[in-house]
Amino acid sequence: MSKKLNVAVVFGGKSGEHEVSLMSATSVIRAMNKEKYNIIPLGITKEGHWMLYNGPIEKIESGEWEGISNKLLREDPQHNIFSVVPMGGEGVALSVEGIPPNLGEQIDVIFPVLHGPFGEDGTIQGLFEMADIPYVGAGVLASAVGMDKVYTKKIFEMAGLPQGKYMVVMRSKWRESESTYVALIEENFQYPVFVKPANLGSSVGISKAHDRVELIKGIHEAAKHDRKILIEEFINCREVECAVLGNDDPMASVVGEIIPSHEFYDYEAKYFDDGKSKMVIPADIPEEKALEIRAMAVKAYKSIDCTGLARVDFFLDKENQQVYINEINTLPGFTRYSMYPLLWGATGIPYDALIDHLIQLAIERYEDR
């Protein structure tokens, strides 16, 4: 019988998507096969403290995990909880202070269930690379590009993927002269427009502005989260999504459609509307349009050199059926009821098998590198 893998599930983090991460991590830990994996829950508080958690799984989602965890990060800034240890043969493993000896004090694979800055943007992926440990998901480059919506759009332009009109407003410049940028936006766009922080997910900080008052309010809100603010044209569309899985030869899932309970699929509609938003899987669209979207999803995935997983979001214009790419999410929501695992479930890969597949992809990429 093969040895059980020691898998560290890292959750929480310093971003505005901390609570979403707790939901995703709870689902992942519950679904992981305990016959295959020794699970090591590592939580990161909003202040950036790393903590080893050994309590009930349900207390992760509620946030109570912090009160019953062992803090791993000491106040001494020179102290590092991580160390690289020999594996007895070729290669090394990551050791984390405080992990019980019966787990061999080695982590075989890290499963980061983190969303947003400091988790999805390449920063923590760089730490895992330096520690020389396999980890689930995209590498440093793809994570960084995928997190920054401005640079994602630039890459998509180079790849020839159609997208809506957009404009970037720097927070510092906005503060210098709001009126200048309001005039520039109104010159180039018609209301309504979408206002977004460039480096955040889960629809945090996003608003739909129908007039100048809402535009100014929306930019101020987005500026709380990022120094770069995106202004995007409104497209009268259906919101459709496609999941991608794999390394060098990725595959696309069936296409799903979001029918939001709010005017658009914002943070509240995604996570706190008690099921009022609808996910239609597969989407009720012509087969040739679904194939077009799936091909575009794989093209977008490859364009940023993504590995592991990503969810690619699209707009399907209601008037002319034109497909526009919206964004790519390299660590999408991963609760059992999130779109990414639901899309794969409808394609034939159930939730627990999807987790197994992602762990194997992490090991495959590590060995290939």
Side-chain angles (χ1 to χ4, degrees):
M1 183 175 178
S2 60
K3 152 178 129 52
K4 289 168 72 172
L5 290 176
N6 297 328
V7 179
V9 178
V10 183
F11 60 89
K14 295 169 64 176
S15 87
E17 299 176 71
H18 180 95
E19 285 76 16
V20 181
S21 171
L22 302 186
M23 296 180 200
S24 293
T26 300
S27 287
V28 168
I29 292 170
R30 279 184 174 144
M32 288 179 72
N33 188 330
K34 310 307 184 288
E35 298 298 317
K36 294 180 179 179
Y37 311 115
N38 292 314
I39 303 167
I40 305 163
L42 290 175
I44 305 174
T45 68
K46 291 182 179 180
E47 295 71 36
H49 293 297
W50 288 67
M51 306 177 83
L52 177 66
Y53 180 64
N54 291 312
I57 295 172
E58 61 270 14
K59 293 190 181 295
I60 294 176
E61 184 170 343
S62 69
E64 297 173 82
W65 66 275
E66 289 188 32
I68 48 178
S69 294
N70 300 316
K71 187 179 290 187
L72 297 176
L73 186 64
R74 296 178 182 172
E75 298 306 316
D76 177 5
Q78 301 302 314
H79 178 74
N80 191 348
I81 65 170
F82 298 106
S83 60
V84 177
V85 297
M87 293 179 66
E90 293 185 0
V92 294
L94 182 69
S95 174
V96 178
E97 174 190 318
I99 290 177
N102 64 336
L103 294 182
E105 297 189 352
Q106 291 182 353
I107 294 175
D108 298 307
V109 181
I110 293 177
F111 198 132
V113 189
L114 298 161
H115 307 302
F118 308 109
E120 192 177 350
D121 60 356
T123 50
I124 204 165
Q125 286 78 12
L127 171 64
F128 301 152
E129 293 281 354
M130 291 173 66
D132 196 30
I133 185 75
Y135 59 94
V136 168
V140 175
L141 174 65
S143 298
V145 172
M147 188 76 248
D148 190 312
K149 295 181 179 69
V150 174
Y151 280 91
T152 306
K153 287 181 179 295
K154 292 179 183 294
I155 297 293
F156 288 166
E157 285 173 7
M158 293 173 62
L161 291 162
Q163 51 193 333
K165 186 166 70 172
Y166 69 95
M167 174 181 170
V168 182
V169 176
M170 301 303 294
R171 180 171 59 195
S172 59
K173 299 299 181 183
W174 167 257
R175 289 172 176 171
E176 287 176 7
S177 181
E178 290 187 10
S179 59
T180 299
Y181 283 95
V182 168
L184 192 59
I185 292 165
E186 291 183 337
E187 181 182 329
N188 286 278
F189 297 87
Q190 290 185 332
Y191 289 111
V193 295
F194 282 101
V195 183
K196 302 178 179 181
N199 287 276
L200 212 57
S202 295
S203 298
V204 175
I206 295 180
S207 61
K208 185 178 179 181
H210 299 81
D211 53 37
R212 184 178 295 181
V213 172
E214 290 184 358
L215 173 67
I216 293 170
K217 181 181 177 182
I219 292 177
H220 279 292
E221 179 59 31
K224 294 177 184 178
H225 301 282
D226 197 13
R227 57 188 281 271
K228 287 188 291 191
I229 299 125
L230 265 177
I231 310 299
E232 295 181 345
E233 73 167 320
F234 168 74
I235 298 172
N236 184 23
C237 67
R238 297 165 66 180
E239 297 182 46
V240 294
E241 302 181 348
C242 184
V244 184
L245 179 69
N247 290 336
D248 290 346
D249 297 302
M251 54 185 176
S253 72
V254 298
V255 178
E257 180 176 8
I258 297 291
I259 303 176
S261 58
H262 295 192
E263 189 173 359
F264 69 98
Y265 201 40
D266 62 6
Y267 184 80
E268 291 297 318
K270 280 185 178 180
Y271 300 107
F272 301 105
D273 75 342
D274 297 323
K276 293 176 185 175
S277 292
K278 295 180 181 178
M279 298 180 186
V280 180
I281 304 173
D284 184 16
I285 58 177
E287 179 63 23
E288 64 272 15
K289 193 57 63 175
L291 290 173
E292 178 186 351
I293 291 167
R294 294 174 73 181
M296 287 176 66
V298 170
K299 186 174 184 179
Y301 190 87
K302 289 183 173 181
S303 74
I304 67 165
D305 195 27
C306 198
T307 51
L309 75 160
R311 194 194 71 236
V312 190
D313 301 346
F314 298 90
F315 298 137
L316 179 60
D317 194 306
K318 290 181 179 179
E319 296 175 6
N320 59 21
Q321 299 302 298
Q322 169 72 42
V323 179
Y324 298 94
I325 191 165
N326 177 23
E327 62 184 27
I328 186 168
N329 298 272
T330 57
L331 272 173
F334 216 91
T335 72
R336 186 176 289 275
Y337 305 106
S338 295
M339 182 60 107
Y340 185 87
L342 287 175
L343 287 170
W344 281 115
T347 311
I349 304 178
Y351 192 72
D352 55 347
L354 181 61
I355 291 171
D356 291 342
H357 200 104
L358 288 168
I359 290 171
Q360 289 307 309
L361 285 170
I363 294 170
E364 174 190 293
R365 188 185 59 162
Y366 175 82
E367 291 176 347
D368 182 53
R369 188 191 63 181

